[in-house]
Amino acid sequence: MSDTILNVSDLHASYGPLSVLRGLNFEVNEGQVVVILGANGAGKTTTLRSICQMCDTEGSITLRGTDISSKGTADIIRLGVGHVPQGRGTFAELSVIDNLLIGSYTRSDDGVQADIDRWFEMFPILAERRDQLAGSLSGGEQQMLAVARALMSRPELLLLDEPSLGLAPIIVEQLFETLQRLNKEDGLTMLLVEQNANLALSMADHGYVIESGLIALEGSAQALMTDPAVQAAYLGA
Amino acid sequence: MTFSTFLTFVFAGLQDGAIYATVAIALVLIFKATTLINFAQGELAMLGAFFVYILSVEQGWPVWPAIFAAMLLSAGLGAAVERTLVRPFDPTDHLPVVLITLGLFLFVNALAGDIWNYQLRPFPVIFDRFPDWMPGIGGDRFIEIGGARLFYDTIGVWFTLGCMLLFLNVLLTRTQVGLAFRAVSSNVESARLAGVNTGRTLGFGWALAAAFGALGATLVAPSLGGIQPNLMVAILIYALAGAALGGLDSLGGAVMGGLIVGLIQSVVVSWFFVTVLEQRWMSVLQLGFAFAVILGVLVFRPSGLFGTRIIERV
Ligand SMILES: Nc1ncnc2c1ncn2[C@@H]1O[C@H](COP(=O)(O)OP(=O)(O)OP(=O)(O)O)[C@@H](O)[C@H]1O
Ligand SMILES: [Mg+2]
């Protein structure tokens, strides 16, 4: 058994009067890639936002045993969570390099430049666009920037909300290769929300399917891939 | 109108404009971060100038230390206002905060009126004569250019604006807190996801704006011959016109907008109406002109001359 990084139990979340999550239970273990599948509006984004306390939540969320459900977003990031929000969330009016620097905002070590060099090497296009405003990048470039920015804080747990959204298939493939390398080589733990279930399950260890605010199904990635219900709903088989 | 008269109006206009620009920058700093207009900005600035008055006139401090101390005090006051009156409210709902800043405007003005009443009090002259080390002009009040007098006072105001812009540029582009402030201005939620404490960063923005506002008011007082609680009421409108002209979300735009409003006020309004109408109509016409600029920008070009975003909910 590996260590549990994230444990979520009986999570309820709401936007004002609208209740979206109705008692979610799941966990993410050290070094794993865990994928969350679900239809549009099922509550996947809300689940990731709940972990970072960006909506009203009830229930327990622990990060390495520490309860984070009453902490502020910035504090949770400081505890080692990285979050690539749906729709990228880059800083359009800031240059590429400033986007990366703000990603390292929580750090005080002197390895920031080395990390910038590393992500520039991994995403060479970002190095070329170094001083360009993020808002003027293409969708794919912005997605890479969003991932690189989240990695700049050296997270232990990376939350990714549909990183493939709007990207060309070849770019998606590259991005997932990169993510897989980060997982294998750096041991980075990931919680991944993805519409591209095939791709996501192929790199994941474990998966959950959310339906209208509840976990409808869970299992190893292998098991989910061969599950007839998952195949019918998410794998287009 | 002779060329030298014209030039005199240009100099005077650009001096007023530089002061409007200083206050406009304070407004834009807060607008960029929160899409809110702080209507109390002028009154906080007036308080800042009164701090200078207390320290230099009543306590006998030299003028620049008094100004720096007043800017620091104002910064603290700005941060305190943000912390106690702004932060508790939902940032996406603008109406309560706008009402609060309007209320603060009235409250501070009335309070100052109660403490210092509305008669003009002496204020130190900041830029009196060219310093002695300047060859040829040391000790003079002005130099002559094209037959017009360019006062040391005017140059001093420009120089102050220049220093302020340089300082602001370094602060926003080269420091961690400046980077955080730009990030919060650009995308609050993503800033939070980068670990930025957005509340504290906005407090920093309010502090910065209040300090610059205080500096602006300190430059206004000598040109009006003294200080009284209504010092900044009209200036706020002119600065707002400048900020709107500049697009409300652009610091460079605020500077250009402030200068343009000052220049047009001086050259067009002063010259044309002084020759046709009586002096006492001046301030009415200047205010009317400023309102016309604000209205014109909002109706015809909501993003101003230099802005990027469309202005909503001012
Ligand atoms: N800010 C919000 N305010 C109110 N309701 C919201 C908000 N965000 C999401 N919702 C609602 O919550 C429900 C779940 O949304 P969520 O974004 O979590 O879905 P999702 O599974 O991520 O969907 P998608 O695949 O389309 O991204 C939806 O019904 C949505 O309308
Ligand atoms: Mg979503």
Side-chain angles (χ1 to χ4, degrees):
Chain A
M1 263 302 283
S2 46
D3 293 341
T4 303
I5 284 202
L6 180 76
N7 185 293
V8 171
S9 75
D10 198 28
L11 176 66
H12 292 251
S14 55
Y15 296 102
L18 178 73
S19 146
V20 176
L21 302 182
R22 302 179 294 138
L24 231 51
N25 298 290
F26 65 93
E27 60 179 33
V28 179
N29 290 336
E30 177 110 51
Q32 276 191 330
V33 175
V34 173
V35 62
I36 295 180
L37 302 174
N40 292 128
K44 306 181 297 295
T45 296
T46 305
T47 305
L48 296 194
R49 289 174 63 89
S50 297
I51 295 169
C52 289
Q53 291 304 310
M54 290 163 59
C55 52
D56 303 332
T57 65
E58 261 174 65
S60 120
I61 306 169
T62 58
L63 189 70
R64 288 199 185 287
T66 316
D67 182 49
I68 56 169
S69 61
S70 54
K71 291 198 188 307
T73 303
D75 293 329
I76 293 169
I77 301 302
R78 276 167 202 277
L79 286 171
V81 178
H83 192 152
V84 181
Q86 185 165 12
R88 308 180 200 105
T90 45
F91 300 99
E93 292 91 351
L94 269 58
S95 66
V96 167
I97 186 78
D98 280 349
N99 268 269
L100 295 180
L101 285 173
I102 196 74
S104 70
Y105 183 78
T106 53
R107 289 171 56 181
S108 50
D109 61 281
D110 50 13
V112 170
Q113 189 54 48
D115 280 16
I116 290 178
D117 292 343
R118 180 169 181 215
W119 308 133
F120 273 170
E121 201 176 313
M122 196 166 271
F123 304 108
I125 191 76
L126 294 183
E128 273 171 48
R129 303 270 186 270
R130 197 174 186 280
D131 296 312
Q132 208 169 305
L133 296 187
S136 70
L137 299 182
S138 80
E141 291 161 356
Q142 290 197 36
Q143 191 67 63
M144 293 176 211
L145 180 60
V147 173
R149 195 203 62 221
L151 291 170
M152 281 303 296
S153 68
R154 291 223 174 143
E156 290 181 50
L157 170 66
L158 184 63
L159 313 178
L160 292 145
D161 199 343
E162 302 203 26
S164 73
L165 196 72
L167 301 190
I170 174 84
I171 306 285
V172 173
E173 215 168 284
Q174 283 171 12
L175 183 67
F176 274 76
E177 259 168 40
T178 304
L179 293 175
Q180 199 148 20
R181 255 173 66 196
L182 285 167
N183 173 248
K184 292 276 174 299
E185 292 169 15
D186 295 36
L188 178 65
T189 310
M190 295 183 210
L191 179 58
L192 172 67
V193 165
E194 199 31 85
Q195 293 289 349
N196 191 334
N198 230 328
L199 193 62
L201 285 173
S202 70
M203 82 175 249
D205 299 291
H206 204 82
Y208 295 88
V209 177
I210 299 187
E211 265 171 33
S212 50
L214 289 166
I215 301 284
L217 206 63
E218 78 161 292
S220 72
Q222 296 262 269
L224 288 181
M225 227 168 333
T226 52
D227 186 285
V230 172
Q231 283 193 334
Y234 304 107
L235 298 174
Chain B
M1 183 167 58
T2 63
F3 180 69
S4 61
T5 318
F6 173 74
L7 216 52
T8 304
F9 282 130
V10 168
F11 291 154
L14 290 179
Q15 176 173 2
D16 288 349
I19 292 171
Y20 305 160
T22 310
V23 179
I25 282 176
L27 291 170
V28 166
L29 272 174
I30 290 181
F31 184 86
K32 270 174 84 74
T34 58
T35 63
L36 276 173
I37 299 290
N38 174 14
F39 288 102
Q41 194 79 65
E43 298 312 285
L44 293 175
M46 174 270 289
L47 274 187
F50 265 106
F51 294 154
V52 175
Y53 165 80
I54 292 171
L55 291 173
S56 70
V57 177
E58 293 187 348
Q59 305 295 324
W61 288 31
V63 68
W64 280 106
I67 292 174
F68 284 124
M71 286 174 75
L72 282 179
L73 281 171
S74 298
L77 192 64
V81 166
E82 192 279 335
R83 185 72 194 83
T84 55
L85 297 177
V86 179
R87 208 182 299 176
F89 292 89
D90 176 5
T92 56
D93 189 4
H94 287 59
L95 190 59
V97 184
V98 165
L99 290 180
I100 285 168
T101 69
L102 278 173
L104 193 63
F105 169 97
L106 296 172
F107 172 74
V108 171
N109 188 280
L111 185 73
D114 206 55
I115 300 175
W116 292 291
N117 58 49
Y118 287 93
Q119 49 185 284
L120 214 57
R121 285 155 186 270
F123 200 80
V125 178
I126 301 169
F127 300 104
D128 190 20
R129 294 163 190 275
F130 287 100
D132 289 332
W133 54 263
M134 290 187 172
I137 54 172
D140 291 351
R141 282 177 185 277
F142 57 84
I143 49 176
E144 271 194 32
I145 294 180
R149 290 176 174 185
L150 176 56
F151 284 88
Y152 179 55
D153 183 39
T154 307
I155 296 175
V157 169
W158 292 342
F159 181 73
T160 308
L161 176 66
C163 290
M164 180 179 139
L165 290 176
L166 196 68
F167 173 77
L168 199 58
N169 188 281
V170 169
L171 193 68
L172 290 181
T173 60
R174 308 246 186 273
T175 68
Q176 193 77 343
V177 65
L179 180 64
F181 183 75
R182 285 188 295 136
V184 171
S185 303
S186 169
N187 188 332
V188 180
E189 200 153 82
S190 291
R192 245 179 237 132
L193 285 180
V196 176
N197 182 327
T198 52
R200 226 179 286 158
T201 305
L202 288 176
F204 161 80
W206 278 72
L208 201 60
F212 285 154
L215 183 61
T218 303
L219 297 175
V220 173
S223 64
L224 296 183
I227 185 172
Q228 45 95 0
N230 283 336
L231 183 71
M232 296 301 284
V233 175
I235 306 283
L236 180 75
I237 306 294
Y238 303 148
L240 197 53
L245 201 59
L248 271 180
D249 68 344
S250 152
L251 291 169
V255 174
M256 290 305 294
L259 290 174
I260 291 171
V261 169
L263 192 62
I264 296 181
Q265 250 182 10
S266 174
V267 174
V268 180
V269 183
S270 312
W271 171 72
F272 181 70
F273 288 101
V274 166
T275 55
V276 181
L277 293 163
E278 288 172 59
Q279 186 75 31
R280 63 192 165 91
W281 291 101
M282 273 277 296
S283 62
V284 176
L285 286 164
Q286 290 194 329
L287 265 181
F289 165 73
F291 278 122
V293 167
I294 296 173
L295 208 66
V297 170
L298 291 180
V299 172
F300 296 110
R301 199 175 159 81
S303 62
L305 298 179
F306 308 94
T308 52
R309 262 181 292 183
I310 300 293
I311 301 165
E312 315 157 284
R313 297 184 287 206
V314 275

